[in-house]
Amino acid sequence: MQKYEPNSKTRKNAHIGSIEDYKKLYEHSINNPEDFWAEQAERITWFKKWDKIWEWDFNKANITWFEGAKLNACYNCVDRHVDAGYGAKTALIWEGNNPDETRNYNYNELLEKVQLTANALKNLGVGKGDRVCIYMQMIPELAIAVLACARIGAVHSVVFGAFAPDSLEARINDSECKVLITQDTGVRGTKNDIPMKSNADIAVKKTPSIENILVVKRTGSPIEMVEGRDVWWHNALASSDAECAPEEMDAEDPLFILYTSGSTGKPKGVMHTTGGYMVYTSTTHHYIFDYHPDEIYWCTADIGWITGHSYIIYGPMANRAVTMMFEGVPNYPDFGRFWEIIEKHKVNKFYTAPTALRALMKEGDKWPNKYNLDSLKILGTVGEPIKEPEWLWYHNIIGKEKCPIVDTWWQTETGGILITPLPGVTTTKPGSATLPFFGIIPELLDDEGNVLEGNEVEGNLAMQRPWPGMMRTVYGDHQRFFETYFEKFPGKYFSGDGCKRDEDGYYWITGRVDDVIIVSGHNLGTAEIEGSIGGHPSVAEAAVVGYPHEIKGNSIYAFVTLRTGHEITEDTRTEIIKRVRADIGPHASPEKIQFTEGLPKTRSGKIMRRILRNIASDNIDDLGDISTLADPSVVSSLVDERI
Ligand code: 7RM
C-alpha cells in the first residue's frame, strides 16, 4: 500500500513538524501525565487553578480532572479574546442553506448576543445546574444558545434537529429540561419548512419539566405560540440586560449532556464536564488541525452531534479560531456546494465525514474542478472508517496532493479525538487513523480481556487510562456508565469498536463490535429501531442489522416476523417505515425489510445477529457456525428470501 508523507511546507509551519518531536512529546505525556496536562491546561484561562490534576478508578467508573479549579467555558470561548484585543476579529461565519445567505459575527458581536441570550434564559428562571434542551437546525442562534447556557452554568442538551417528537420527548424527560429552545421552521436542502416548533409542541405535551419554549424566527412561517409558555427569542433578547457575568464553574461541573444510541432501547445521556473537556478539545484542535491564527476552519458536522460540540464550538473557539457553520447540505443547490463554499470563504482547514465524500465522489470530479480550492491546507475525516477510494479522491481531487488528511477516530463518549495523524508528522496510509494522540494508550484486547501485545494483532479497542475530555457518567445512571464501558474489561475503558494494529503499529478501526449501526456517520442502536418496528400492531418480532452501503457506509436491513393471521401487504411495509421515521427520524428508516416466519435464535432465545448480518450483506457462503441455533432450519428460508 502506498504511504503519504506530510509535505515539507506543512512540516515547516506545523506546531509539531517531525515524528521525533511527536515521539518526544508523546513519551512525556505518557511518562509524566500530570506535568503534560498541566502544561496543556495553560491554554485555558482559569479563575482558580486546580488542587489535583487527575484522580481515577476505572473499577468504579470514577474520573476527575483538575479538581478544585474554577473556570467558565463561554468565557474561554468568547470574553477572553475580546479582553485580549481581538473583539473585531471574525469568530463565526455562518453560511445559510441558500448560497446568497451569509452572516459573520466578530467576537464583540458574539459576546453581545451571548450575554443577551444568557440573561433571557435567566429571566425564564434558568440557573446554574438547570438543564436546557436545544432542538434546532444549523443557525447561528444554536451556537449562541449553547454558549449562553455555558455562561450561566446551565447544562445544555442539544437534540439533533432531524429527530422526531418522540425522541425529543424521551431526551427532554430523561434529563428533566426546564426550557426548550427551538425555531419556527427550518431550511435544509430542498426542504424549506421543516416543522421544528410544531414537533416541539407535540413533544412537550408529555414533558412536564418544560416551563418555557424560546423560539427563534428563522423562516417566518406561521406557528402556534402558547400564551405564557412560548417566548420569541427576539422579544426575549430585546428585553434583556446587556451584561451577564460568566458563572464561576467547578472543573467537574457538568457542561452538557448529549444523547447517544446504546445497545438497549433507551438512549444514554453522555455527560461531559467543564475543565477537562475544555483542555482536551482545545489541545486536540490546536495540534490535529494545526490551527494558526486567522485561518478559516470549517467542520461540516451538525452541532446536534459531538463533532459539532467539540470541533465547531468549544475547541476552535477556545483557540480563537474563525469557525464556520453551514445550514445546508452537500448537494444543494448542486453537488458543488461544499467546494463553492470553500472557494467563497477561502477555507484553510476542512473537516467532514466519509459518507459525504462518497456521495460527492460519485458525482464526478467536475464539481470540485469548477472551484478554486487552493486555500485548503489540511483535510479531516470523522465518523466511520474511510475506505481507500474516497481517501484517494479526497487527497487527489480535493487536496491536490498537497493537503495532509487527518483521519480522526473518537466517540461521543471520548469528547475529543484519541487516534489520529498529526498533519506535520504522520506518514498516512489510506484508511488508518494511524497513531494515538498525546496521553492516550490504546490497547487491543481479546474477548477474554488479554492484552494483545506487539504489532499485527486485532481485537477490542480499549484505553488504559483516562484523558481529560472523556465522559464522566451517563446522566442519572452511573451504573449504566460502569456497565457499558468498564465492566467487560475490568480496569479499562472499552470503546465498543474492533481494531487492528498493523506492522508499523498503526491503528485500523474495523467497526462496531456491539449492536450499534453507523449509518451516514449517525450512531443508531438496533434495539431502538427494533422497538419502533415492534410497535406496529401486526409485528410479532423484528431484528435489525447493518449491511454495507456504498454511500451511507451502512444501511439498515430489518427482518420482521408478523403475528399469526396478519398478512404481508405493501401497506405493512410502508407503515413500518413511516413508524420508524416518526419514532426516531428519517435517518433510521430501514432500506430493506424482509418478512420471515422465524428468526435465528439460540436456545436461550438470543437472536444471532451474525447470521442475519451475513445474509443482509449477501455473504451466504460462510454464514458461520449455526449449530447452536434452536432451529437451524430457519436459515435456509432466510437465505432464499433475502432481498
Ligand atoms: C466522533 C463520532 C463513534 C463511532 C466510533 C466508531 C466510529 C468515528 C471514526 C470511526 C473509523 C474513524 N462520535 N468512528 N470516527 N470509525 N474511523 N475515524 O463519530 O459517537 O457519533 O460515533 O464512530 O465506530 O465508535 S460518535
Side-chain angles (χ1 to χ4, degrees):
M1 165 177 289
Q2 197 175 336
K3 300 179 186 180
Y4 296 82
E5 288 196 16
N7 55 60
S8 55
K9 195 168 162 215
T10 309
R11 262 183 218 281
K12 233 180 39 232
N13 299 322
H15 297 306
I16 302 187
S18 72
I19 191 82
E20 293 73 33
D21 288 352
Y22 159 78
K23 284 188 176 150
K24 238 188 269 162
L25 198 52
Y26 180 75
E27 272 159 32
H28 173 56
S29 75
I30 299 304
N31 298 334
N32 315 293
E34 303 209 2
D35 294 347
F36 174 79
W37 288 113
E39 288 146 25
Q40 296 303 324
E42 292 300 328
R43 301 175 189 287
I44 294 302
T45 303
W46 305 86
F47 299 139
K48 175 181 173 284
K49 287 276 175 81
W50 49 89
D51 303 319
K52 206 164 178 157
I53 293 279
W54 66 349
E55 202 158 16
W56 56 288
D57 179 357
F58 277 177
N59 291 310
K60 296 204 172 76
N62 289 335
I63 302 120
T64 62
W65 282 88
F66 307 108
E67 191 77 71
K70 298 266 188 201
L71 77 161
N72 181 282
C74 175
Y75 176 87
N76 273 279
C77 288
V78 188
D79 305 54
R80 62 171 178 157
H81 307 319
V82 173
D83 295 348
Y86 299 104
K89 290 263 188 192
T90 304
L92 180 69
I93 301 176
W94 177 75
E95 175 76 16
N97 183 58
N98 296 313
D100 51 359
E101 262 186 300
T102 302
R103 268 194 256 164
N104 278 24
Y105 292 78
N106 64 30
Y107 278 99
N108 285 327
E109 291 159 341
L110 195 60
L111 180 59
E112 181 194 321
K113 291 280 188 263
V114 167
Q115 293 193 89
L116 289 171
T117 310
N119 280 329
L121 288 170
K122 279 187 171 175
N123 292 340
L124 294 175
V126 177
K128 183 171 172 170
D130 287 337
R131 276 79 57 213
V132 172
C133 180
I134 304 177
Y135 175 67
M136 294 167 92
Q137 299 289 331
M138 287 285 282
I139 58 176
E141 289 82 357
L142 166 53
I144 291 166
V146 162
L147 291 165
C149 287
R151 189 170 195 85
I152 62 174
V155 181
H156 55 77
S157 165
V158 181
V159 175
F160 180 50
F163 273 116
D166 282 2
S167 299
L168 175 61
E169 176 201 314
R171 285 158 175 74
I172 291 173
N173 283 335
D174 184 73
S175 46
E176 298 173 289
C177 298
K178 190 165 183 172
V179 164
L180 171 60
I181 309 179
T182 188
Q183 60 190 83
D184 48 4
T185 66
V187 183
R188 202 163 174 266
T190 53
K191 300 189 196 114
N192 52 23
D193 225 5
I194 304 168
M196 304 299 291
K197 173 62 165 64
S198 65
N199 280 351
D201 286 337
I202 299 168
V204 299
K205 285 201 176 111
K206 290 188 227 147
T207 60
S209 61
I210 292 288
E211 292 171 12
N212 295 101
I213 308 184
L214 194 53
V215 188
V216 177
K217 189 175 270 187
R218 166 65 182 100
T219 61
S221 286
I223 49 155
E224 260 179 62
M225 294 291 278
V226 173
E227 182 81 41
R229 184 195 71 184
D230 302 348
V231 185
W232 282 108
W233 170 286
H234 54 270
N235 291 341
L237 266 63
S239 55
S240 284
D241 287 341
E243 268 173 51
C244 172
E247 196 75 32
E248 290 207 357
M249 304 300 286
D250 286 333
E252 283 298 338
D253 277 336
L255 179 59
F256 65 85
I257 300 165
L258 185 59
Y259 286 86
T260 185
S261 305
S263 30
T264 70
K266 201 177 157 213
K268 295 187 286 270
V270 170
M271 198 187 88
H272 284 283
T273 59
T274 311
Y277 177 81
M278 291 306 292
V279 170
Y280 199 72
T281 53
S282 59
T283 304
T284 47
H285 176 263
H286 173 83
Y287 286 119
I288 298 165
F289 298 100
D290 193 42
Y291 190 78
H292 290 81
D294 301 324
E295 285 174 339
I296 314 291
Y297 164 86
W298 181 22
C299 164
T300 69
D302 194 291
I303 291 173
W305 308 115
I306 190 68
T307 308
H309 283 60
S310 300
Y311 298 111
I312 294 178
I313 300 184
Y314 288 112
M317 288 195 173
N319 293 342
R320 197 178 20 94
V322 184
T323 187
M324 276 190 52
M325 201 176 153
F326 175 42
E327 185 185 32
V329 292
N331 61 356
Y332 177 83
D334 59 40
F335 286 96
R337 190 64 195 280
F338 273 5
W339 324 125
E340 182 245 341
I341 295 174
I342 289 171
E343 175 183 282
K344 173 171 167 188
H345 295 288
K346 301 198 167 49
V347 172
N348 306 117
K349 309 285 162 87
F350 180 65
Y351 192 27
T352 196
T355 184
L357 295 174
R358 287 193 295 270
L360 294 170
M361 177 173 81
K362 197 168 142 253
E363 301 302 320
D365 301 350
K366 69 168 194 226
W367 295 106
N369 288 347
K370 275 195 198 174
Y371 300 97
N372 181 345
L373 305 179
D374 286 350
S375 58
L376 288 173
K377 297 183 194 169
I378 288 166
L379 304 173
T381 73
V382 59
E384 50 184 320
I386 182 166
K387 289 179 235 65
E388 196 162 6
E390 61 263 25
W391 196 101
L392 292 175
W393 188 74
Y394 207 20
H395 177 76
N396 294 327
I397 305 300
I398 306 305
K400 316 286 182 216
E401 301 173 38
K402 67 176 173 49
C403 303
I405 296 179
V406 290
D407 173 354
T408 64
W409 177 85
W410 59 296
Q411 310 178 290
T412 305
E413 295 87 337
T414 70
I417 298 163
L418 301 194
I419 302 182
T420 180
L422 295 183
V425 169
T426 319
T427 298
T428 49
K429 306 183 194 182
S432 172
T434 74
L435 299 170
F437 188 70
F438 304 122
I440 303 300
I441 309 181
E443 284 186 338
L444 301 183
L445 311 174
D446 68 15
D447 288 341
E448 280 69 55
N450 302 307
V451 178
L452 304 170
E453 306 280 359
N455 290 338
E456 301 191 71
V457 288
E458 179 168 353
N460 299 292
L461 178 61
M463 299 297 148
Q464 196 195 86
R465 323 175 156 162
W467 57 98
M470 76 184 295
M471 73 184 285
R472 300 295 195 267
T473 195
V474 171
Y475 186 81
D477 195 349
H478 198 69
Q479 183 60 23
R480 189 166 176 204
F481 179 48
F482 172 76
E483 284 166 9
T484 311
Y485 306 101
F486 302 96
E487 188 170 55
K488 186 161 180 195
F489 301 115
K492 327 252 154 143
Y493 167 85
F494 175 44
S495 68
D497 279 1
C499 183
K500 58 187 188 204
R501 191 163 48 224
D502 74 6
E503 66 280 6
D504 296 320
Y506 277 33
Y507 290 86
W508 299 74
I509 308 298
T510 54
R512 302 292 306 187
V513 297
D514 58 11
D515 293 337
V516 174
I517 310 172
I518 303 194
V519 180
S520 299
H522 300 166
N523 284 16
L524 296 167
T526 52
E528 207 176 351
I529 304 171
E530 286 161 8
S532 169
I533 298 176
H536 187 286
S538 299
V539 172
E541 194 172 34
V544 159
V545 294
Y547 68 96
H549 183 277
E550 64 161 329
I551 305 296
K552 299 191 250 179
N554 294 292
S555 213
I556 291 167
Y557 194 122
F559 294 87
V560 177
T561 348
L562 294 183
R563 289 168 195 263
T564 318
H566 289 250
E567 274 183 45
I568 304 167
T569 64
E570 220 13 72
D571 282 352
T572 329
R573 193 182 299 275
T574 37
E575 281 161 19
I576 287 173
I577 292 172
K578 249 170 109 179
R579 185 171 263 282
V580 175
R581 293 173 74 95
D583 286 347
I584 306 168
H587 55 297
S589 70
E591 184 114 355
K592 294 184 181 177
I593 299 178
Q594 178 176 348
F595 292 101
T596 167
E597 288 293 314
L599 293 168
K601 289 188 185 174
T602 61
R603 276 175 214 103
S604 64
K606 267 204 164 67
I607 296 172
M608 286 183 73
R609 280 166 211 287
R610 168 175 54 81
I611 293 172
L612 295 177
R613 267 196 292 268
N614 281 333
I615 293 173
S617 318
D618 222 19
N619 291 332
I620 50 161
D621 295 333
D622 182 19
L623 289 173
D625 183 18
I626 59 169
S627 63
T628 57
L629 286 179
D631 175 14
S633 74
V634 299
V635 174
S636 58
S637 61
L638 281 167
V639 169
D640 292 345
E641 287 156 27
R642 73 189 184 280
I643 302 166

